[in-house]
Structures are given as C-alpha cells and as structure tokens.
Amino acid sequence: MAANYDDAVAELYRAPHDAFVAERKRLAAELKAAGDKPGAARLAKLGRPTLSAWAVNQLWWQAREAFERLLAAGERLRAGDQAAAVERRDAVAALKSRAAAVLVEGGHAVNEATLRRVTTTLSALAAAGGFEPDPPGALAADRDPPGFEAAGF
C-alpha cells in the first residue's frame, strides 16, 4: 500500500504498461481511503505513458546505475566536457539494449520506432539533467532534446 502521494506515483509508474489504468484507479482509491482526497484526485489525472516513456521509466527503476551514468555524462557535457559525449553515447546504447529487454519482459513487441523514441527521450533527459518537471521514473510522454522544437520536430 502506498503511504503517500509520492509513493503512489512511484508505484504507479513501475506497474506493467497494460495494468496502468487499473493500478491508477486502485492507488487513487487507497489514497482516498487514507484521507488524502487531493492526492487521490491528482493521481487519478496522471496520464498513461506511451510505451516508449514506460520503457524509460522502467529503466530508471531497474537499471539505475546505467541511468545515473547517462545523467552524469550529460552533466559533464553541459559543463563543456566534450569527452563526455562518448560516455553519453555508450550509456544511451546500453540503456537502449536494456529497454529492448524490458519491452520483451513486459510482453511488448520491440520495434525500431519505439527504440528510437526511447533513445531520443534518454538523450533529452541527459540534456535536461533529469526528469523535471516530472518525478524521476514517472514520465507520461516522450521527451525531445532541447532545440528540437525550434527545428519543427
């Protein structure tokens, strides 16, 4: 049982992709029963992640060390250390491989389009320095690296 809203969010985004809606309903009911009606209402409004965002969330929960390496390389790149580009690329490649396994383990097909969205989202998180404004491991949608909006992507 989730002790509070933050715990409920973490539990929700760890759930299997196909169980998201049922888990959201269950966790919102638990929060409401525990007296947190505002938290239950907020939780009930959280969006079901795209399959690629779900895979990225699972990477946060299941491959934290590799994810932390990606974020650290992104931080060094933002600080001007161009040598960190190789580390970022290697971290994205390792996480992409793990994402394929996560998808298979979750009963989902692995295709290049989904893996491309996973790698784009991972690159965006590295460029941004984390998940903000979302809690870590709780993406509902894919992300694009900064600057893509200006290019019309």
Side-chain angles (χ1 to χ4, degrees), residues 54-115:
W54 174 83
V56 171
N57 290 335
Q58 301 315 300
L59 293 172
W60 173 256
W61 298 114
Q62 298 176 22
R64 183 73 56 89
E65 188 175 306
F67 214 114
E68 293 290 351
R69 281 194 304 272
L70 171 67
L71 294 176
E75 183 177 336
R76 287 195 310 281
L77 272 172
R78 286 190 309 282
D81 180 1
Q82 293 304 306
V86 172
E87 292 175 39
R88 187 197 64 79
R89 186 187 67 229
D90 291 347
V92 167
L95 288 166
K96 177 183 177 184
S97 176
R98 180 69 184 114
V102 163
L103 288 163
V104 169
E105 291 164 9
H108 303 285
V110 177
N111 61 57
E112 197 53 42
T114 300
L115 292 177

Side-chain angles (χ1 to χ4, degrees), residues 12-148:
L12 176 61
Y13 283 96
R14 284 182 179 151
H17 189 256
D18 296 338
F20 185 87
V21 174
E23 279 297 292
R24 181 178 59 199
K25 184 176 180 181
R26 181 186 70 77
L27 290 164
E30 283 183 9
L31 287 175
K32 188 174 182 180
D36 185 359
K37 289 182 182 181
R42 281 177 47 211
L43 190 78
K45 292 178 184 176
L46 292 176
R48 182 179 183 208
T50 62
L51 186 58
S52 48
W54 174 83
V56 171
N57 290 335
Q58 301 315 300
L59 293 172
W60 173 256
W61 298 114
Q62 298 176 22
R64 183 73 56 89
E65 188 175 306
F67 214 114
E68 293 290 351
R69 281 194 304 272
L70 171 67
L71 294 176
E75 183 177 336
R76 287 195 310 281
L77 272 172
R78 286 190 309 282
D81 180 1
Q82 293 304 306
V86 172
E87 292 175 39
R88 187 197 64 79
R89 186 187 67 229
D90 291 347
V92 167
L95 288 166
K96 177 183 177 184
S97 176
R98 180 69 184 114
V102 163
L103 288 163
V104 169
E105 291 164 9
H108 303 285
V110 177
N111 61 57
E112 197 53 42
T114 300
L115 292 177
R116 191 173 319 113
R117 287 305 308 158
V118 166
T119 58
T120 299
T121 297
L122 289 169
S123 294
L125 294 174
F131 286 80
E132 292 293 327
D134 298 305
L139 293 176
D142 298 317
R143 298 274 182 89
D144 288 320
F148 272 38

